[in-house]
Amino acid sequence: MPVVDVDPDELRELTGHEEKDDEELKADLFGLGLEFEGETDDGMYQFEFAPDRLDRLSVEGVARSLRYHYGDARGVYVPNTNDPEWRIEVDESVPDERPYVTGAVVRGLDLDEAALESLIQLQEKLHATMGRGRAKGAIGIHDLAMVKGAPLQEGAEPSITYRGVDPKGDTFVPLDANDELSPAAVLEEHATGETYADLVTDLDRYPAIYDELGLFSFPPVINGKRTEVTTGSRELLVELTGTDQWTIDRMCNIICYALSARGATIEEVEVNYADGATHPSEYGAELVRPNLDIDEKTVSHERIETLLGVDFEPEEVVDCFERAGLDASYTLGEDVRYEVEIPPYRVDVLHPLDLVDDVGRAYGFDNLTPRYPDVGTVGGRHERSRLEDAVRTSLVGLGFEDLLNFHMTSGTENYDRMRIEPGTGGAAVGDGDGVFGGGSPVEITEPYSEEYTQLRTWALPSLVMLLERNTHNAYPQDVAEVGFVAERDDDADTNVAESRHVAGAVARRDASYEAAKGQLQALCDDFDADLATPRVEHPTFIDGRAAAVMIDGERVGVIGEIHPAVLVEHDLEVPVAAFEFDLDALR
């Protein structure tokens, strides 16, 4: 959970409530969801809060929330912006791994030490949270007076260029250094460079930003000393680079709002992606930033009342929205619905439930009356959990060792090493077509490891991987798992179909289809289920030694002898027979 240092005196000044004592401030902030964690040696308060409200990563954002809480501000506020005088040119040489850029110009600042420290804290907190340790988005803030823009043509606005640079090419003096270094030397010799070297070290060309005088920023690693921001800086250039345009645009918005709260004027910049440069297809190759467009979402009156347990008049709900920093209008009818406008610094409002949460906070969760639910039952184990335990007990009784494997895997393990293709079938192929386990994967957008890039579509690869790691142990090895699997399903509400599978594998010198079939038959008999195994072809199993698993007339799985190519791929020197089917078939 993020922890933010806040100067209580500065917070009082920014909110306009000098009369608030320390305990009142702490209580008010607790009502907003910020928990007091203690004080620093220099008297700064430390507050911990949920990581969804990233606009509160600075004292300016906290003060804005308090002004809404006190009723001093209402509704959506969007700062005015001046027309662009600067341009960011994106060259086609920018690495494809980090192609996007955004930014803004900030004028009319009066930075003292407290304001500068708050800006630095906001920058680093955004790096650690929304920027994913600078991997997804990185922020550079520069003294605009020290940036010399190169006009593209006479009368045109000055420009800087985002492009790729040879690792041992142009040099610059980085922050906290006195000597000129190439980007490669920064990674080897500078403390900050060593910290963030992993983000760029594998690239053929490194990201870099140039003005007319040369290289002055090496994102996402470090800025140049020439453009360092000090308390004497009055105009700033804010630039952000990253792997996702939406993310860096929203990070930029949060910074612009924080500086606007200090009395600064925000000025737009033009961003032009050159022909051949990777640009955000949803926005186009020519952008004007910052993007301070207002988002809109809809929520029903009934949903608000149901979730909060309060009977509201529509005007009361609108009042709560406005005191949460949103704007709302509603239409009357059988079901009152609210059209809610969301300011551009709110990156957390992704679903109507987030709007309900804002209404609840504005109303005051401590004002809600506790009540017992209108059900006459007590808690107990879910039927599926009972079934899982019963199946595990039966499998152990049949001689299997019960396993618990990771739900996440990679496409290589889930498909390639099992000789199947993604999207060629599904976990339950009831119409006779397709390959069991060949469903479309539920992929992780930004995985931290190549070993875990998706959810597994079937459990058998996990068992075979375990057998691969246990070739040094004695045979026979009979292993089984009752576990979670998932695949893409556009007909499901979440676009993901989740289920539990039963999988078993027999690894021994005399392993055969008949051995696996006998154990599967015994398992089905324990649950009074009728089993049939008509012949089927499956790439993971030997032709002629594989069958579909049909329980009570429904095709729910597959059984057979593992193909020699799969055994060789996993360095297994004994035959393996296996089965897998949907747990729900035993209900």
Side-chain angles (χ1 to χ4, degrees):
M1 301 280 277
V3 175
V4 175
D5 296 344
V6 174
D7 184 337
D9 293 331
E10 191 175 26
L11 185 59
R12 294 185 184 95
E13 179 182 349
L14 289 171
T15 59
H17 284 267
E18 304 283 352
E19 78 284 359
K20 293 282 185 178
D21 61 30
D22 290 351
E23 294 307 313
E24 286 180 299
L25 272 182
K26 294 175 186 177
D28 293 339
L29 291 172
F30 183 78
L32 294 175
L34 284 75
E35 297 189 24
F36 180 70
E37 289 292 305
E39 292 187 40
T40 64
D41 293 338
D42 54 358
M44 300 282 279
Y45 286 176
Q46 294 184 307
F47 290 95
E48 179 184 79
F49 61 95
D52 55 342
R53 290 301 300 268
L54 300 179
D55 57 292
R56 295 173 177 168
L57 287 172
S58 66
V59 66
E60 297 87 358
V62 174
R64 180 174 53 249
S65 293
L66 276 179
R67 289 198 301 273
Y68 281 116
H69 182 68
Y70 296 147
D72 298 334
R74 297 178 68 86
V76 172
Y77 167 71
V78 178
N80 294 324
T81 56
N82 292 339
D83 292 337
E85 294 186 12
W86 282 78
R87 180 195 304 263
I88 302 176
E89 295 289 334
V90 184
D91 190 77
E92 61 180 0
S93 63
V94 170
D96 290 337
E97 294 82 358
R98 200 174 191 87
Y100 304 121
V101 66
T102 192
V105 167
V106 180
R107 300 188 187 273
L109 269 176
D110 185 12
L111 287 175
D112 56 16
E113 285 292 339
L116 182 57
E117 289 178 6
S118 177
L119 179 59
I120 293 171
Q121 176 181 234
L122 176 59
Q123 180 182 11
E124 292 309 312
K125 296 295 183 181
L126 283 174
H127 280 158
T129 53
M130 202 169 182
R132 303 287 180 87
R134 304 192 188 185
K136 195 173 185 179
I139 307 162
I141 303 177
H142 310 272
D143 188 332
L144 186 64
M146 304 306 296
V147 179
K148 185 172 179 56
L152 297 179
Q153 57 189 22
E154 187 175 351
E157 60 266 24
S159 70
I160 60 175
T161 303
Y162 179 44
R163 66 181 182 88
V165 61
D166 185 277
K168 297 182 179 180
D170 296 332
T171 61
F172 73 115
V173 180
L175 289 172
D176 302 319
N178 296 314
D179 299 325
E180 289 201 356
L181 300 173
S182 68
V186 169
L187 303 185
E188 296 174 357
E189 302 175 20
H190 196 287
T192 303
E194 293 175 359
T195 301
Y196 297 103
D198 289 346
L199 299 179
V200 296
T201 190
D202 293 333
L203 304 180
D204 295 331
R205 296 177 65 82
Y206 291 168
I209 299 180
Y210 285 74
D211 65 359
E212 191 173 352
L213 299 180
L215 171 63
F216 71 92
S217 180
F218 174 26
V221 180
I222 196 168
N223 294 340
K225 191 171 185 177
R226 167 163 62 94
T227 60
E228 182 177 6
V229 176
T230 67
T231 53
S233 302
R234 294 294 175 264
E235 297 179 338
L236 305 181
L237 169 67
V238 180
E239 46 84 5
L240 298 91
T241 62
T243 61
D244 180 72
Q245 187 75 45
W246 186 93
T247 298
I248 59 175
D249 281 344
R250 296 312 184 274
M251 292 169 69
C252 183
N253 290 346
I254 293 172
I255 293 173
C256 288
Y257 267 85
L259 295 175
S260 175
R262 296 282 184 179
T265 299
I266 308 301
E267 180 179 292
E268 297 172 337
V269 300
E270 294 182 4
V271 179
N272 288 342
Y273 288 86
D275 292 341
T278 300
H279 68 268
S281 57
E282 65 271 35
Y283 302 120
E286 297 183 359
L287 313 177
V288 176
R289 291 297 185 264
N291 180 7
L292 300 181
D293 292 344
I294 294 173
D295 195 10
E296 291 186 357
K297 292 195 181 299
T298 302
V299 64
S300 70
H301 187 84
E302 180 185 14
R303 193 168 199 181
I304 294 172
E305 289 189 333
T306 300
L307 291 174
L308 296 181
V310 178
D311 293 330
F312 288 109
E313 292 296 327
E315 291 78 9
E316 293 179 285
V317 175
V318 171
D319 178 69
C320 287
F321 276 129
E322 291 179 351
R323 288 192 289 112
L326 312 174
D327 281 334
S329 60
Y330 63 90
T331 56
L332 293 174
E334 285 189 22
D335 182 19
V336 176
R337 303 190 69 80
Y338 300 90
E339 297 289 337
V340 185
E341 294 184 349
I342 303 155
Y345 63 83
R346 287 292 301 273
V347 300
D348 59 300
V349 182
L350 306 176
H351 189 276
L353 288 178
D354 298 316
L355 300 177
V356 179
D357 180 72
D358 275 1
V359 172
R361 289 196 178 278
Y363 179 79
F365 285 130
D366 54 342
N367 293 326
L368 300 180
T369 303
R371 58 185 175 85
Y372 286 102
D374 297 328
V375 292
T377 61
V378 295
R381 297 195 64 179
H382 193 279
E383 180 185 351
R384 187 188 65 204
S385 177
R386 294 179 184 275
L387 178 60
E388 289 179 4
D389 277 357
V391 172
R392 288 191 180 97
T393 300
S394 292
L395 288 169
V396 171
L398 292 169
F400 287 99
E401 184 174 352
D402 185 37
L403 304 178
L404 178 63
N405 288 303
F406 291 128
H407 301 158
M408 294 179 62
T409 185
S410 67
T412 300
E413 299 292 350
N414 193 76
Y415 300 113
D416 299 345
R417 301 185 76 198
M418 302 299 287
R419 301 180 71 236
I420 64 175
E421 296 289 335
T424 56
V429 188
D431 58 4
D433 296 327
V435 175
F436 185 88
S440 299
V442 179
E443 296 179 313
I444 310 303
T445 303
E446 293 189 17
Y448 282 102
S449 169
E450 293 182 355
E451 296 180 1
Y452 306 106
T453 60
Q454 66 170 78
L455 297 177
R456 62 183 183 178
T457 60
W458 59 326
L460 185 55
S462 300
L463 301 189
V464 177
M465 289 169 61
L466 180 131
L467 293 174
E468 179 182 18
R469 293 191 294 267
N470 281 277
T471 55
H472 59 286
N473 290 328
Y475 292 98
Q477 295 181 22
D478 295 356
V479 293
E481 179 183 4
V482 181
F484 172 88
V485 301
E487 62 183 55
R488 290 275 305 182
D489 184 353
D490 294 336
D491 294 330
D493 291 340
T494 60
N495 291 331
V496 177
E498 302 179 6
S499 57
R500 268 39 178 202
H501 279 195
V502 180
V506 179
R508 58 179 71 174
R509 180 180 55 79
D510 58 348
S512 65
Y513 169 84
E514 289 77 14
K517 169 71 180 296
Q519 291 179 310
L520 178 59
Q521 182 67 65
L523 178 63
C524 290
D525 289 345
D526 284 346
F527 292 86
D528 296 324
D530 293 329
L531 173 66
T533 53
R535 177 174 174 173
V536 74
E537 292 184 0
H538 191 291
T540 302
F541 300 92
I542 300 173
D543 290 345
R545 303 294 291 171
V549 174
M550 297 189 68
I551 295 179
D552 293 335
E554 182 180 358
R555 182 179 174 187
V556 294
V558 67
I559 182 173
E561 295 178 13
I562 300 292
H563 196 284
V566 176
L567 300 180
V568 171
E569 174 66 28
H570 292 84
D571 296 325
L572 298 176
E573 298 180 355
V574 299
V576 177
F579 60 82
E580 180 170 343
F581 64 92
D582 193 327
L583 172 69
D584 286 341
L586 295 179
R587 288 186 184 275

